[in-house]
Amino acid sequence: MVEDTKERIRAVALELFTAHGYEQTSLREIADRVGITKASLYYHHPSKQALLVAIVEPLLRDWRMMVERLEAVPHTPEHVRDALGECLNTLLRHREACALFARDVPALLTAVGPVLVEAKELGTRMNAWLAGPEPSQADLVRAFAATEVLNSALASAVMLPSVPQAELRATLLDAAAAVLGLTQADPTTGTAGRPGL
Amino acid sequence: MVEDTKERIRAVALELFTAHGYEQTSLREIADRVGITKASLYYHHPSKQALLVAIVEPLLRDWRMMVERLEAVPHTPEHVRDALGECLNTLLRHREACALFARDVPALLTAVGPVLVEAKELGTRMNAWLAGPEPSQADLVRAFAATEVLNSALASAVMLPSVPQAELRATLLDAAAAVLGLTQADPTTGTAGRPGL
DNA sequence: GTCTATAATTAGATAGAC
DNA sequence: GTCTATCTAATTATAGAC
């Protein structure tokens, strides 16, 4: 395969960055694990920062697409529930990179500030949509809390490894919906109720 | 005052660690900001690690006391709601140190591993109590998600600075309760309902 | 208690041979 | 593409004068 080494470096780096943090991981560690030297690593990735960007970029692209898809849709209870589900999917699809984002903010901020700024902006837009049109301050807080519930999927997988992912997904989706004041979805129809609208 | 400098160092260090991360903050920065040199800093705190421990210890002590108080109390809806409130109070009382814990896990793990291990254990015990006796897997996940909702108070304060703290507190408390399946508290009596038990 | 000076280590990054 | 060897800069930490 072409560029095989480059990909292997990326994979190893993601793993080590997520496990020990960006600053705590040296390029020597990554190179050792891949089975090459630091100098060879630099042949494929021009800097540690660039390596991080290469890791984080795909996640950001997916996230951007998701938010844009979202904003084209009206804020109804069904769409809100769907949005939470899609958000959870995106989170789980990029689980490791998301964990890196969530757990290593300060390091990423100094290393790739602009990238984190866009990530934060996407989060804000997502929350704004979730809060609905003309939101109260409580709506904004609830939207924020709901996304945190979904985020907890990352930590839950580590803290509660015995819970199967399907159950984790379903439970967190209901929990996030509950935070937003949506009632439980009807399991027979998959349709959510419409309270407080 | 006795030990005034030592306290000033602690305060500045907490501020910088929280803002830029533990690894990203050098002792030179801290010393500069306090208005002394690195060598003087070492007179008061024997190492960077010890400085971190001095910062984190009070938070851990409060947290430990809270969890122990909690475990002595039966798992009823009212007590659960009270527990969420107490948890939120502890979180807000140590806001900066908590933010450091939440945002800089990898750095803290390598610097003060054992301390983080105890923090994690306390979190686990808190979640176990919240999940109730003989919890289902869904109960465990919900307990975890509920604490994440409370945690979001730290980030909310930054992301939604216009929301007054009282409203933030009340909204998050209701949100966490909703995650656990408790209904809205009656605003006139402050008593929660008892659904699904 | 605070300073100057410096040791010891490590990191990211580069030059140039093969 | 990968290597050996090296550079530069920054960090934690210490020694010892005042």
Side-chain angles (χ1 to χ4, degrees):
Chain A
M1 282 171 212
V2 202
E3 303 275 316
D4 184 29
T5 308
K6 191 169 180 175
E7 280 303 302
R8 270 171 54 225
I9 294 171
R10 226 173 52 99
V12 169
L14 172 55
E15 191 185 325
L16 292 180
F17 286 168
T18 308
H20 309 132
Y22 175 74
E23 291 282 345
Q24 284 71 35
T25 305
S26 72
L27 295 179
R28 196 184 56 75
E29 282 180 90
I30 298 173
D32 282 359
R33 181 91 141 237
V34 174
I36 58 176
T37 62
K38 254 193 317 178
S40 300
L41 193 155
Y42 271 96
Y43 172 81
H44 296 281
H45 297 274
S47 72
K48 191 184 185 184
Q49 203 184 94
L51 178 53
L52 178 60
V53 171
I55 286 174
V56 145
E57 196 86 311
L59 155 66
L60 207 62
R61 202 175 44 236
D62 254 33
W63 208 258
R64 203 183 299 128
M65 282 173 50
M66 197 204 68
V67 172
E68 276 162 11
R69 225 163 32 235
L70 215 71
E71 287 172 333
V73 145
H75 184 269
T76 67
E78 294 92 344
H79 282 130
V80 168
R81 209 165 211 281
D82 289 349
L84 293 175
E86 273 226 49
C87 182
L88 195 47
N89 287 341
T90 307
L91 219 53
L92 291 172
R93 196 161 48 235
H94 298 276
R95 186 175 334 196
E96 274 194 305
C98 285
L100 183 58
F101 255 98
R103 292 182 26 164
D104 214 11
V105 183
L108 270 60
L109 193 62
T110 57
V112 286
V115 173
L116 255 205
V117 168
E118 199 204 338
K120 185 181 165 184
E121 195 222 305
L122 288 173
T124 303
R125 282 165 61 187
M126 164 104 192
N127 284 335
W129 184 87
L130 278 180
E134 299 179 38
S136 68
Q137 291 194 314
D139 288 330
L140 290 168
V141 174
R142 275 189 283 265
F144 196 88
T147 58
E148 284 293 305
V149 168
L150 301 183
N151 254 305
S152 73
L154 302 171
S156 294
V158 180
M159 298 283 282
L160 306 169
S162 69
V163 180
Q165 194 178 102
E167 181 153 11
L168 186 70
R169 229 197 84 96
T171 307
L172 288 179
L173 206 49
D174 284 340
V179 167
L180 292 178
L182 302 174
T183 56
Q184 197 83 351
D186 183 331
T188 58
T189 68
T191 306
R194 289 169 193 71
L197 265 196
Chain B
M1 282 172 212
V2 202
E3 303 274 315
D4 184 29
T5 309
K6 191 170 180 176
E7 281 302 304
R8 270 171 54 224
I9 294 171
R10 228 174 50 98
V12 169
L14 173 54
E15 191 184 327
L16 292 181
F17 286 167
T18 308
H20 309 133
Y22 175 73
E23 291 283 345
Q24 285 71 37
T25 305
S26 72
L27 295 179
R28 198 185 54 76
E29 282 180 271
I30 298 173
D32 283 359
R33 181 93 140 236
V34 175
I36 58 177
T37 62
K38 258 194 309 179
S40 299
L41 193 153
Y42 271 95
Y43 173 82
H44 295 280
H45 296 275
S47 73
K48 193 185 184 183
Q49 202 184 93
L51 178 53
L52 178 59
V53 172
I55 286 175
V56 146
E57 196 86 310
L59 156 66
L60 208 61
R61 203 174 44 236
D62 254 33
W63 208 257
R64 204 183 300 128
M65 282 173 50
M66 198 204 67
V67 171
E68 277 160 11
R69 224 164 31 236
L70 216 69
E71 288 173 334
V73 144
H75 184 269
T76 68
E78 295 93 343
H79 283 129
V80 169
R81 208 163 213 283
D82 289 350
L84 293 174
E86 273 225 49
C87 182
L88 195 48
N89 287 342
T90 308
L91 218 55
L92 292 171
R93 196 162 47 237
H94 298 276
R95 186 176 333 199
E96 274 193 306
C98 286
L100 182 58
F101 255 98
R103 289 181 28 160
D104 213 10
V105 182
L108 270 61
L109 193 63
T110 58
V112 286
V115 172
L116 254 205
V117 168
E118 199 204 338
K120 186 182 164 182
E121 194 222 305
L122 288 173
T124 303
R125 281 165 62 188
M126 164 104 193
N127 284 336
W129 184 87
L130 277 181
E134 300 178 37
S136 68
Q137 292 194 315
D139 287 331
L140 290 168
V141 174
R142 274 190 284 265
F144 196 90
T147 59
E148 283 294 304
V149 168
L150 300 183
N151 253 307
S152 73
L154 302 171
S156 294
V158 178
M159 298 283 283
L160 306 168
S162 70
V163 179
Q165 194 180 100
E167 181 152 11
L168 186 70
R169 229 196 83 97
T171 306
L172 288 179
L173 206 48
D174 284 340
V179 166
L180 293 178
L182 302 173
T183 57
Q184 196 83 352
D186 182 333
T188 58
T189 68
T191 305
R194 287 167 196 73
L197 265 197

